[in-house]
Amino acid sequence: MMQTPIKASKTVIITGGNSGLGYYCAQALAQSKQDWHIIIASRNLPRVEEAVQQLTAETNYSFIEGMTLDLASLASVRQFVQDFQTREHPPLHAIVCNAGVQIVSGTCYTENGFEMTFGVNHLGHFLLVNLLLPQLSDRSRIVFVSSDTHNPETNTGMPHPNYQDANALAFPTGNDNQMDIRTVGRVRYTTSKLCNLLCTYELSRRLQKQQSKMTVNAFNPGLMLDTKLSRDYSESERSALRATLSASTLGQSRDSQVMGSALARLILDPALDQVTGRYFDGLKEIRSSDESYDEHKAVELWETSVGLTH
């Protein structure tokens, strides 16, 4: 049985860590013997507290706590950062931007009036990371969980992303009415995952220009059938989605515990100390889509996001 250290030496924040990929990432960090203080940040505090209790029991590791964070509310993001700053904890060394939504039942909006998928998957994390940058220690690591669905050349069974500009994503006008609402929702999801990569690479470039030793990388967990990402799908819609996926695609589905460990590796592995602006498919570094390297789009997304979250 693993023994909890007397004192944790560094802090990691994991968004959406109360289940699935984020939960197993937290589990791997707790079992790493690297003395992490693990903060699971999610909007449902009872579920977070339940996850903390379960993780503590499973790992015999006590330096795990939960905090409330609703990425659909800029006020909640700011409150989270304020609460984090006032609590006693070891220096912040890592942020894992893992939480995400996929909405196929109709257009929903965040508290601030942004389309929900873009608001949560990109803008909430964008503000969180930018507000926490001054708190991050030298050589800290930031990881954005993206998805291979961002890449039109990858056979995922999902529609291609459609990036026009950030304002169009934040405030859709209904020009996509020629698609059924499920397809619209899935396009919004794949586009938000492209935004995660554009943001990863742009933040990495900006930090490098400042001669910062922080690293920023993106992670693709692949298709995982045992997560809550498809919680907005009805049972019939889940069945229909599976029917659209080829047998080979379904056969390549991944286990969220295995991928959680692979995600944790981007925080833990000393060999990645100076690796930044990269994209990892599980354990393997690969190229993302051609569009994800478009610096003009990345700057436009970044600058517009600054204005939207100001």
Side-chain angles (χ1 to χ4, degrees), residues 193-209:
K193 296 291 101 179
L194 171 62
C195 290
N196 292 152
L197 282 158
L198 291 168
C199 184
T200 295
Y201 299 152
E202 181 60 19
L203 178 55
S204 178
R205 283 189 292 267
R206 287 171 181 253
L207 290 173
Q208 284 181 299
K209 287 177 183 176

Side-chain angles (χ1 to χ4, degrees), residues 6-308:
I6 297 174
K7 186 177 182 181
S9 61
K10 49 190 176 288
T11 297
V12 56
I13 295 170
I14 306 171
T15 68
N18 58 322
S19 65
L21 182 70
Y23 180 92
Y24 290 118
C25 176
Q27 184 186 75
L29 290 166
Q31 294 171 336
S32 69
K33 299 182 180 179
Q34 289 193 18
D35 300 350
W36 286 94
H37 180 85
I38 302 164
I39 295 177
I40 294 176
S42 190
R43 60 182 177 139
N44 190 318
L45 189 58
R47 288 184 183 175
V48 170
E49 291 174 340
E50 182 181 344
V52 169
Q53 292 175 1
Q54 187 173 336
L55 278 166
T56 302
E58 287 174 353
T59 63
N60 193 35
Y61 190 80
S62 60
F63 295 115
I64 309 172
E65 71 169 309
M67 291 181 64
T68 302
L69 170 65
D70 183 359
L71 291 164
S73 163
L74 299 184
S76 176
V77 174
R78 291 190 173 92
Q79 186 63 53
F80 172 87
V81 173
Q82 184 176 325
D83 292 345
F84 174 79
Q85 290 170 335
T86 58
R87 294 192 183 194
E88 287 190 11
H89 49 71
L92 181 61
H93 277 242
I95 306 171
V96 180
C97 297
N98 162 74
V101 296
Q102 183 180 160
I103 299 169
V104 297
S105 57
T107 301
C108 300
Y109 296 93
T110 69
E111 179 180 288
N112 303 93
F114 309 129
E115 189 281 315
M116 184 69 74
T117 309
F118 180 70
V120 170
N121 295 3
H122 169 66
L123 285 176
H125 281 128
F126 176 86
L127 179 62
L128 177 69
V129 168
N130 275 280
L131 290 178
L132 287 173
L133 279 177
Q135 306 295 316
L136 283 163
S137 303
D138 193 31
R139 296 189 183 281
S140 291
R141 300 186 186 186
I142 302 168
V143 180
F144 289 90
V145 175
S146 182
S147 166
D148 52 359
T149 62
H150 86 278
N151 191 345
E153 295 183 7
T154 304
N155 182 21
T156 63
M158 291 285 281
H160 298 170
N162 181 23
Y163 188 94
Q164 302 299 323
D165 60 70
N167 271 313
L169 296 176
F171 309 111
T173 60
N175 291 335
D176 44 18
N177 284 342
Q178 65 271 23
M179 294 185 285
D180 69 83
I181 193 60
R182 289 185 300 251
T183 302
V184 169
R186 293 164 75 201
V187 169
R188 287 171 177 166
Y189 174 76
T190 60
T191 307
S192 75
K193 296 291 101 179
L194 171 62
C195 290
N196 292 152
L197 282 158
L198 291 168
C199 184
T200 295
Y201 299 152
E202 181 60 19
L203 178 55
S204 178
R205 283 189 292 267
R206 287 171 181 253
L207 290 173
Q208 284 181 299
K209 287 177 183 176
Q210 297 169 13
Q211 297 185 326
S212 169
K213 295 175 182 176
M214 294 183 202
T215 65
V216 192
N217 293 296
F219 179 78
N220 167 45
L223 174 64
M224 297 178 298
L225 300 176
D226 58 341
T227 71
K228 294 183 178 179
L229 184 59
S230 60
R231 56 187 172 269
D232 194 50
Y233 287 68
S234 66
E235 278 303 319
S236 61
E237 286 170 336
R238 287 193 187 98
S239 298
L241 176 60
R242 281 185 169 88
T244 65
L245 299 175
S246 66
S248 61
T249 300
L250 285 172
Q252 293 170 10
S253 64
R254 298 171 176 179
D255 179 78
S256 57
Q257 185 168 11
V258 173
M259 287 300 101
S261 293
L263 175 57
R265 177 210 166 219
L266 297 186
I267 301 299
L268 298 170
D269 192 343
L272 301 176
D273 273 347
Q274 298 180 47
V275 176
T276 188
R278 308 293 177 84
Y279 175 58
F280 289 84
D281 176 33
L283 296 173
K284 183 181 180 182
E285 181 188 330
I286 64 171
R287 273 187 61 84
S288 51
S289 70
D290 290 343
E291 187 177 16
S292 69
Y293 296 105
D294 186 324
E295 292 189 24
H296 175 77
K297 286 183 178 179
V299 170
E300 182 273 322
L301 173 64
W302 186 277
E303 293 180 349
T304 303
S305 298
V306 169
L308 292 172

